């Protein structure tokens, strides 16, 4: 029965408890097995409602509140009422025998109050048919029908919020299965009326307590849009998670009883969740805006692309999608951030997500994002949550510095709150930008206000997966910036386009950056976001035919696209193209001649194997004046390589120590984007023309003296030698490695549009930026005339290419989220037949990229005596502490400092270790697992696969011989 102690605790209280009496007070909602503490269901419902109200008032971006409010007759006021009420009733499914029987002691209390139920064992497997989320959806729907006169179809868009609050909205078949098993919701016989009574009593009390009684009649006429259903579900999930934290909301018996507003206020103060950004529309001129946000060098002016982008953002009827296409080095990133600030202020967005193609580009963007944030007047004096979103963010020093500023969420000091003091663990002087503790979980992290990370995090919003609603809430309240849009293949584009359609439905402002896009792809992006643009088709065709460049395209959801053609900045480069035989001796001879008087050359290969083979030959001529850069280095070594490239080949300045003599960098695609490096001569494998133009952006990128006079005399005219193909054949034959990476058709189309520039002996250079768009549009257009004798080869390659694209599209569609359904369509089956959990792991990334799951290991050094250490060549951390050669004992957890140093030595094994070979490799690596490291105290190393290298940095794995060096990275050969 209802205990006397609980009765005394409730004396004099208002709130939900004051509306309840009798058996309903014995319903339990939370239980702690370790302490045997528990929480009454009504208390958890009250806690959840209170948190939802605080989230709405203090955390949810205005753009999200407005979107929800627009769907309801009472606007944002109705939106808040609905959110709080749904949070209160979301766990009504726990008021059922199927749930209550799980804890026998608490079930006995309920039986004593007249709520009869069979034991958990006796109820058997049928319990699985009535998970409490689904049960809650059914009970809430029955109450709306019986007590409020709603039709079932009118209930579903509202009740699905309860049904989906554990991450997966139910499917129709699950609902029908439960309909035929009423005993799971109410025990038959005398007790059935008691069960129905407590369920009704709770729902009636919530309707009155949270002020929706008078609104339900009006809401009955609302066809709640799917985007609103998603956001309400996500908000309830967040409220439920916070209210379920016993450190914030203690269970009974409590050491210090605290109820109602005091309980919620104490928890909120302890949580210390940073609020949403409240951006202010920047006034003043474009020049003033850029000078204040980006610290422009004295005397420099904003570039035309940047100025036009800001003016276009200011002139748009409402924030929407903007595609910025401009040459490399034109300041597209700064333009995007300026547009983002304007879009955010005008849309009410509460944050920014900057999506980049790789972890390396994410790491490079993160400090730039932080610098911009620290210059925003709207952030002064208030903490805001920041995230670096990829799987190895904890190894990034800029991010870990922010993490150190965020205190833990621990027990609530109620007395301190009552006395006006700060709760235990609350920062006395919080940093303006923090990596908030509560937002570090993989499902919650993207809810941070400001995020830089890999595009995978955005593509996951288009993947059917558990708790997808949280990912949608995370992007729905932000401005989304997508960088390097040309870098995403057909498979990834299938997900990107679907995500854009949902972003358009949410009204999320989006900025897309690219050096240039094929006209067809530009149109696909616009249509995905805004819907059909048939009325603007002529404008798109005109732009494509004219080859206008730079180019800005903007559109609002459902609107007509706007096109702007800003002038080029005046920075121009005319690059002479020349074919070069694909022979390493020919390459070495040519480089030796070109660099006779010194100079820096970049050789870009399409595969790591070609990088290593080329470097080996070139070292025979150039010795140590050859540097290798590719992705098959340890994480820590690759970061050091990028830093060294910038130090030696970055823009002119005191921080750059450019080689005085000759030097050759042999690199894979890692040198293609997001590195501000500058070379005197470029040699590149044939690749798709848009990527080849990106590589050209590393050639004479900066002015070095008047007329480039600071470069060697023979290298003052920019030249690009194109190799990686047999140019002597009637139709060029790309090397097999390049075909495997890019397919033959894009390579031949690239060769076809470059042919006039390759055959003229330098008399017809590629003029950057003016030739960028014509070359790209020509390579991707459907009706370009083939060079003489090429037609048959092109037709055959095209058939293969289109078949591969169709396979990619079909494969990607398997787990792709459906499009936005019509108003009033419930989210039933929204993520049915999905992937389960999706996160930033190799397996997760493989779901949104057309790649096989890769194998990641942590590389350590194995001494002659069998002991393990961190690899010996690691340098020092920022505090001057040695990182290399640190002991990693097998009989205990390594010290955190050494474990983190080891974790920084992650390495992704190449495709040789996929499929069946991966299984064999995992089996062999699992034999090396150190049991002492598989504990909670070993967060850096637990669950990781460890690859020990001997004193010669070699080992064998799954039939392959592995060799690692700091100069060439990982080499893999058949053993």
């Amino acid at each position: 029965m209802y205990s006397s102690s609980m009765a005394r605790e409730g004396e004099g209280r208002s709130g939900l408890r004051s509306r309840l009496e009798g058996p309903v007070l014995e319903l339990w909602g939370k239980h702690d097995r370790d302490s045997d503490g528990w929480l009454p269901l009504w208390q958890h419902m009250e806690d959840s409602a209170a948190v939802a109200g605080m989230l709405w008032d203090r955390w949810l971006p205005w753009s999200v509140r407005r979107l929800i409010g627009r769907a309801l007759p009472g606007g944002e006021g109705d939106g808040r009422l609905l959110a709080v009420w749904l949070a209160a009733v979301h766990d009504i499914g726990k008021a059922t025998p199927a749930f209550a029987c799980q804890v026998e002691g608490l079930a006995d209390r309920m039986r004593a109050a007249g709520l009869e139920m069979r034991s958990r064992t006796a109820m058997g497997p049928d319990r699985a048919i009535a998970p409490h989320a689904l049960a809650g959806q059914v009970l809430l729907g029955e109450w709306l029908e019986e007590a409020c006169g709603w039709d079932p179809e009118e209930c579903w868009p509202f009740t699905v919020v309860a049904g989906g609050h554990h991450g997966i909205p139910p499917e129709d078949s699950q609902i029908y299965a439960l309909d035929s098993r009423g005993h799971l919701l109410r025990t038959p016989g005398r007790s059935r009326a008691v069960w129905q009574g407590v369920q009704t009593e709770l729902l009636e009390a919530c309707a009155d307590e949270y002020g929706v009684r008078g609104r339900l009649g009006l809401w009955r006429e609302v066809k709640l849009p799917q985007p609103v259903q998603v956001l309400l579900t996500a908000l309830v999930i967040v409220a439920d998670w916070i209210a379920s934290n016993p450190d914030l909301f203690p269970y009974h018996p409590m050491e210090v009883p605290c109820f109602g507003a005091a309980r919620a206020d104490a928890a909120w103060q302890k949580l210390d969740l940073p609020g949403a950004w409240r951006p202010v529309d920047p006034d003043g001129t474009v020049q003033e805006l850029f000078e204040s946000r980006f610290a422009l060098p004295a005397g420099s002016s904003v570039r035309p692309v940047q100025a036009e982008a800001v003016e276009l953002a200011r002139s748009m009827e409402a924030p929407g999608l903007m595609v910025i296409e401009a040459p490399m080095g034109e300041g597209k990133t700064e333009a995007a951030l300026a547009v983002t600030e304007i879009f955010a202020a005008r849309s009410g967005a509460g944050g920014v997500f900057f999506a980049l193609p790789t972890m390396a580009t994410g790491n490079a963007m993160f400090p730039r994002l932080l610098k911009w944030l620290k210059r925003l007047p709207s952030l002064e004096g208030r903490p805001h949550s920041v995230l670096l979103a990829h799987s190895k963010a904890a190894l990034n020093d800029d991010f870990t510095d922010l993490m150190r500023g965020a205190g833990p969420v621990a027990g609530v000091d109620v007395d301190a709150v009552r006395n006006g003091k700060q709760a235990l663990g609350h920062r006395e002087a919080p940093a303006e930008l923090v990596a908030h503790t509560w937002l570090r979980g993989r499902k919650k992290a993207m809810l941070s206000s400001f995020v830089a990370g890999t595009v995978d995090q955005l593509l996951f919003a288009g993947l059917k997966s558990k708790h997808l609603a949280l990912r949608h809430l995370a992007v729905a309240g932000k401005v989304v910036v997508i960088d390097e849009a040309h870098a995403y293949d057909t498979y990834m584009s299938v997900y990107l386009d679907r995500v854009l359609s949902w972003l358009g439905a949410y009204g999320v402002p989006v900025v897309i950056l690219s050096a240039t896009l094929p006209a067809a792809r530009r149109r696909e992006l616009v249509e995905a976001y805004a819907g059909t643009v048939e009325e603007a088709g002529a404008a798109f065709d005109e732009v494509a035919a004219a080859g206008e460049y730079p180019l800005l395209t903007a559109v609002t959801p459902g609107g007509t696209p706007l096109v702007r053609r800003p002038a080029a900045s005046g920075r121009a480069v005319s690059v002479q193209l020349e074919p070069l035989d694909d022979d390493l001796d020919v390459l070495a001879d040519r480089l030796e001649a070109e660099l006779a008087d010194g100079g820096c050359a970049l050789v870009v290969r399409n595969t790591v194997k070609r990088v290593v083979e080329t470097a080996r030959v070139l070292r025979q001529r150039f010795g140590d004046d050859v540097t290798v850069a590719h992705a098959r280095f340890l994480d820590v070594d690759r970061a050091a390589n990028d830093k060294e490239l910038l130090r030696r080949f970055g823009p002119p300045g005191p921080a750059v120590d450019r080689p005085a003599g000759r030097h050759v960098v042999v690199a894979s695609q890692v040198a293609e984007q997001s590195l501000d490096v500058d070379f005197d001569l470029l040699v590149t494998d044939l690749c798709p023309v848009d990527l080849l133009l990106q590589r050209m952006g590393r050639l004479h990128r900066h002015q070095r003296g008047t007329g480039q006079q600071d470069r060697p005399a023979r290298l003052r005219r920019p030249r690009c030698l194109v190799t990686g193909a047999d140019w002597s054949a009637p139709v060029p034959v790309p090397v097999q490695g390049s075909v495997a990476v890019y397919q033959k058709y894009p390579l031949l189309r690239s060769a076809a549009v470059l042919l006039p520039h390759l055959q003229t002996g330098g008399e017809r250079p590629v003029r950057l930026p003016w030739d960028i768009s014509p070359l790209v549009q020509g390579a991707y257009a459907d009706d370009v005339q083939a060079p003489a004798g090429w037609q048959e080869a092109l037709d055959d390659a095209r058939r293969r290419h289109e078949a591969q694209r169709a396979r990619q599209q079909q494969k990607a569609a398997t787990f792709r989220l459906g499009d936005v359904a019509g108003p009033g369509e419930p989210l039933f089956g929204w993520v049915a037949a999905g992937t389960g959990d999706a996160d930033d792991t190799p397996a997760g990334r493989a779901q949104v990229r057309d790649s096989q799951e890769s194998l990641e290991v942590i590389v350590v050094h194995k001494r002659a005596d069998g002991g393990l250490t961190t690899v010996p060549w690691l340098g020092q951390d920022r505090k001057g502490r040695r990182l290399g050669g640190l002991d990693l004992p097998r009989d205990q957890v390594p010290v955190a400092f050494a474990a983190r140093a080891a974790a920084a030595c992650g390495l992704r094994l190449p495709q040789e270790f996929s499929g069946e070979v991966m299984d064999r490799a995992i089996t062999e690596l699992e034999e090396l697992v150190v049991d002492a490291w598989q504990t909670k105290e070993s967060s850096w190393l637990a669950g990781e696969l460890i690859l020990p290298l001997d004193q010669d940095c070699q080992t064998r794995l799954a039939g392959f011989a592995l060799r690692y060096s700091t100069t060439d990275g990982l080499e893999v050969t058949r053993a």
Side-chain angles (χ1 to χ4, degrees), residues 882-905:
R882 178 175 61 91
L883 299 173
L886 301 176
D887 282 334
L888 300 170
R890 295 175 184 248
D891 59 347
Q892 61 186 18
V893 175
V895 296
F897 175 65
R900 185 180 188 272
C905 296

Side-chain angles (χ1 to χ4, degrees), residues 16-257:
L16 188 62
R17 164 67 184 83
S18 66
R19 300 178 182 275
L20 305 170
E21 61 181 3
V24 70
L25 300 173
E26 294 297 339
L27 295 170
W28 66 274
K30 297 287 179 182
H31 175 254
D32 182 3
R33 297 178 185 177
D34 296 331
S35 67
D36 212 30
W38 69 288
L39 203 63
L41 179 56
W42 66 263
Q43 181 70 75
H44 178 60
M45 296 171 78
E46 184 176 81
D47 292 342
S48 300
V51 172
M54 291 175 170
L55 289 171
W56 182 279
D57 296 337
R58 308 179 192 182
W59 178 76
L60 205 62
W62 178 66
S63 59
V64 175
R65 300 199 306 265
R66 181 186 57 188
L67 180 66
I68 295 173
R70 282 178 174 173
L72 299 163
E76 287 187 50
D78 265 7
R80 188 186 191 281
L81 286 174
L82 179 56
V84 171
W85 175 64
L86 288 173
V89 301
H90 80 278
D91 262 351
I92 187 63
K94 291 182 176 180
T96 60
F99 175 86
C101 69
Q102 295 179 91
V103 179
E104 193 61 28
L106 297 177
D108 283 341
R109 295 174 61 106
M110 295 172 60
R111 292 183 182 106
L115 292 163
E116 291 294 336
M117 71 192 86
R118 289 189 293 170
S119 69
R120 179 175 183 172
T121 302
M123 200 164 289
D126 269 7
R127 275 193 59 254
I129 298 172
H132 75 265
L134 175 58
Q137 174 179 301
V138 171
L139 293 179
L140 183 59
E142 289 179 356
W143 180 78
L144 287 171
E145 293 174 38
E146 296 170 5
C148 306
W150 289 37
D151 293 330
E153 293 81 1
E154 296 168 336
C155 300
W156 293 335
F158 292 83
T159 60
V160 73
V161 174
H165 83 265
H166 272 266
I168 302 179
E171 301 175 39
D172 289 326
S173 60
Q174 295 173 300
I175 300 170
Y176 297 145
L178 182 55
D179 281 345
S180 63
R181 292 169 175 82
H183 67 281
L184 298 172
L185 302 179
R186 305 175 185 100
T187 302
R190 294 178 303 172
S191 188
R192 187 182 190 284
V194 183
W195 278 106
Q196 187 163 14
V198 297
Q199 294 161 356
T200 301
E201 185 176 358
L202 278 173
L203 292 171
E204 294 280 348
C206 286
D208 293 329
E209 179 66 22
Y210 301 111
V212 303
R213 177 76 68 180
R215 307 303 299 168
L216 291 173
L218 296 173
W219 293 350
R220 179 182 176 183
E221 306 300 323
V222 172
K223 294 186 178 298
L224 211 60
Q226 279 197 337
V228 173
Q229 297 175 44
V230 174
L231 296 178
L232 287 170
T233 301
L235 183 61
V236 168
I237 291 172
V238 174
D240 181 31
W241 283 359
I242 294 174
S244 298
N245 186 331
D247 290 329
L248 297 174
F249 291 90
Y251 290 178
H252 291 294
M254 291 178 280
E255 294 181 6
V256 182

Side-chain angles (χ1 to χ4, degrees), residues 371-448:
K371 288 180 181 179
W372 174 69
L373 292 174
K374 290 174 181 177
R375 293 189 179 115
L376 289 178
S378 54
L379 290 183
E380 290 180 359
R382 296 167 53 209
H384 288 81
S385 53
V386 184
L387 173 71
L388 177 60
H390 61 66
S391 61
K392 299 184 180 180
L395 298 172
N396 181 281
D397 289 336
D398 291 309
F399 184 58
T400 54
D401 285 347
L402 296 178
M403 292 172 68
R404 293 188 186 101
V409 176
V412 180
D413 187 343
V414 177
D415 289 332
V417 174
R418 286 175 173 170
N419 296 330
K421 301 176 183 178
Q422 292 177 328
L424 181 65
H426 188 94
R427 299 181 300 277
E428 293 188 6
E432 291 182 8
L433 302 173
V434 297
H436 193 272
T437 307
W438 193 80
L439 294 172
R440 291 184 196 171
R442 64 185 177 89
K443 293 182 180 180
K444 300 177 290 186
M446 286 292 293
L447 295 170
S448 300

